[in-house]
Amino acid sequence: MERQADGATLPFDPVACQLRVGLEIHQQLATSTKLFCPCPIVKSDELPLSFERRLRPTQSELGQIDPAAIFEFNKGRVNLYKWNPESACLVEADEEPPRPPSKEAMETAILVAEVLGSAVVDEVHVMRKLVIDGSNTSGFQRTAIIALGGALPVDGTAVAVQTVTVEEDSSRVLKEGAQAREYALDRLGVPLVEIALDHVVGVPEYVEAVALSLGRTLRSTGRVARGQGTIRQDLNVSLLGGQVVEVKGVQKLNLIAKVVRYEAMRQMGLVKIAEEIKKRGVSEVECKAEDATRVMKGTSSPVLRRILQKGGVVTCVAVADFAGLFGLEPFPAIRLGKELAEIARTNGLGGVIHSDEFAKQGISEEESVALRALAGYDSDAGLVLVAGEAPERVETVAALVVDRLRKTTLGVLGETRAATEDGETRYQRPRPGAARMYPETDIPEIAVTEEWKRSLRTMMPVPWKEKVAAYSVRYKLSEEAALQLYDSDNSKLFEDLAAKLKLEPSVIASMLVEIPVRLSREGIDDSKITPRALASVSSAVDEGKFAKEAAIDVLRSIGRGESRDVEDAISKLGLSGMSDEELSKIIGGVLKRNEALIREKGDRAFSVLMGEVMKLARGRVDGQKVSRLLKQAMEESR
Ligand SMILES: [Zn+2]
């Protein structure tokens, strides 16, 4: 267990503070069709067709309306759906009823359940889960429980499995604006298996280890999709006595610990801010919103001036005894002001300006006095300015800011947040209520017979640990290299190339696994480092067209778009192979220049000489060959 490894990564003890994280993994399946229609699973770059829809939750449909649903509805957005008949049909457009679920997808989900020791249900019932953000054209997502219970082994521990579910993926977001959103229908309906785990208590790194183990288990079936965006994690994070925050859409496994760390610090920061408020003797937050457009008319704040010049309005939210609290940073980058700005941004404004940053924003002391007077509060009051061109939007955001501030004493609020690419979390909406599942009347229940389960048990995959061990033995790879290979998207390609090429498997593995990682760290667009490019570079090295040391230069040139393909890169980089004669000449020159060194050091001069020759040969010739010829030449020259 890695629970101890980590005291330093959080400024408080995560076990003592009961940091709890529940993990929900969504993994796309590699089926030939979508879940409820015969469309193939392809990403469409061109989306020539489109339609518009505005989703309205109605009282009759919902019974008790979900607060999250109302929140989305209030935003008054219009959704535009773009599609291509190659990847979507009338089912995705919600013009035709769904077909019975893909057998292939059901079987993969049952197989996953069996691997996790989860009890498969006798009858699968497809349900409708309300989604009101527009990511599904029908306003709900179809989902079906396949199995309950089970356990996932993680580094000598085990985490209990709650449910294994099969469900349809949502549309792909193309553009997210304040008034409208654009979606692509190619991803809508792609089958996902969702695995919900019991929460774990402890350090962020352990949560990441759990996710990693689950990802590897899923991939052991050989029936799940690979590549970016094919796996997404949701995290339910809470601290002792606090509400649960749902963090959606962590796309990379190696971001999980970072996201958990940020969210834990954010929650602990909010608790500390609440404590500070109570220390000030405030038990109930007193605040009010007033129109401040006239007070700010002559302001020299550049941001506000720009808004006012376009006919915009300013609302001032004044909060008694809050001076200094918005900018207070209990932990790095954790501030109440940031929380308020996120609410504004989610609702179509650029942000807010709070009194702890007035000077920086060009708001004068006279203006703050006038703003406080507007509310009738003294100089201990904190102020938040909400400004925008659309008065109704400003009014909505000001009301949400007032609501948020009144709840500051509660510490952490239950809400849904999104994981960002740099490992933080960003406010999305209030947490949805529980009452939002309805039976899907268009699809009859599906019986899972004992016979079906038995036939699937004959397809049980080899556990991933055994696969990794087998890689290590079969291809003479270190355990770490074997695991990296198993984790990489190129493991299948590796197997093919290792069977076909004369190159050492370890050389192929390092080209397929390490080079893409190094290039992506250099910021090179990995969309051009395709399996095909990797395969042709490996073959070219195999044929001796250039040295393996130059493989990264070739792929970098292709990744940057400087070369079309391997042949083009060879000529652009001047890598065309070197004749033995030319190499001998280089070696002869190096030996001559270093006569004194060779006399002094004898064979120990080898590494210096080798370095010089390799520099001159610049990837045009294999290192092993250079080494062989150099040793030979050194012996002969003696
Ligand atoms: Zn379809």
Side-chain angles (χ1 to χ4, degrees), residues 175-217:
K175 227 191 263 169
E176 209 162 342
Q179 310 288 340
R181 267 191 234 190
E182 271 182 44
Y183 292 98
L185 293 190
D186 49 2
R187 205 183 68 184
L188 181 61
V190 171
L192 302 174
V193 61
E194 185 213 75
I195 293 154
L197 298 177
D198 255 4
H199 67 257
V200 296
V201 176
V203 303
E205 282 68 18
Y206 181 64
V207 182
E208 191 165 299
V210 172
L212 205 57
S213 184
L214 186 49
R216 287 169 179 159
T217 303

Side-chain angles (χ1 to χ4, degrees), residues 34 36-40 85 87-93 188:
K34 289 188 177 178
F36 296 112
C37 70
C39 289
S87 58
C89 65
L90 292 174
V91 173
E92 286 91 330
L188 181 61

Side-chain angles (χ1 to χ4, degrees), residues 238-449:
S238 67
L239 292 176
L240 184 67
Q243 297 204 44
V244 177
V245 173
E246 183 180 34
V247 179
K248 289 206 160 277
V250 187
Q251 295 226 5
K252 287 184 183 149
L253 281 167
N254 59 11
L255 261 187
I256 288 182
K258 201 174 174 194
V259 170
V260 171
R261 216 175 292 138
Y262 176 85
E263 181 56 24
M265 283 208 289
R266 192 187 70 85
Q267 294 189 12
M268 188 54 93
L270 292 176
V271 169
K272 291 203 178 294
I273 290 168
E275 282 167 4
E276 173 62 27
I277 295 167
K278 282 174 202 152
K279 245 188 255 168
R280 293 184 182 190
V282 178
S283 55
E284 220 168 283
V285 176
E286 203 187 305
C287 63
K288 49 175 113 160
E290 304 278 351
D291 178 22
T293 312
R294 275 180 53 198
V295 176
M296 300 310 289
K297 213 170 58 194
T299 187
S300 49
S301 156
V303 176
L304 293 182
R305 246 184 22 216
R306 216 173 305 133
I307 291 170
L308 290 171
Q309 271 163 8
K310 287 182 186 160
V313 297
V314 185
T315 292
C316 175
V317 177
V319 207
D321 302 307
F322 259 55
L325 275 186
F326 301 121
L328 182 73
E329 249 184 24
F331 300 112
I334 308 294
R335 295 181 304 275
L336 189 54
K338 193 172 168 187
E339 300 276 311
L340 301 177
E342 284 172 5
I343 291 176
R345 271 181 220 122
T346 322
N347 289 281
L349 296 184
V352 298
I353 300 175
H354 58 72
S355 38
D356 298 339
E357 56 179 3
F358 272 6
K360 205 173 79 194
Q361 293 287 344
I363 292 168
S364 69
E365 192 47 43
E366 292 73 42
E367 283 168 333
S368 17
V369 170
L371 288 168
R372 284 192 180 93
L374 207 57
Y377 287 169
D378 62 15
S379 61
D380 290 338
L383 303 171
V384 181
L385 297 179
V386 181
E389 287 165 49
E392 64 284 6
R393 196 157 287 278
V394 171
E395 198 185 323
T396 306
V397 171
L400 290 168
V401 166
V402 166
D403 183 57
R404 178 68 189 81
L405 288 167
R406 288 202 172 123
K407 291 175 181 156
T408 330
T409 48
L410 301 175
V412 183
L413 304 183
E415 60 194 31
T416 300
R417 303 179 67 83
T420 66
E421 274 176 27
D422 48 9
E424 295 196 352
T425 69
R426 196 185 56 214
Y427 176 80
Q428 262 192 331
R429 56 174 180 267
R431 244 200 127 188
R436 36 172 220 161
M437 289 276 230
Y438 312 88
E440 168 57 85
T441 45
D442 287 335
I443 301 171
E445 64 275 8
I446 303 123
V448 185
T449 60

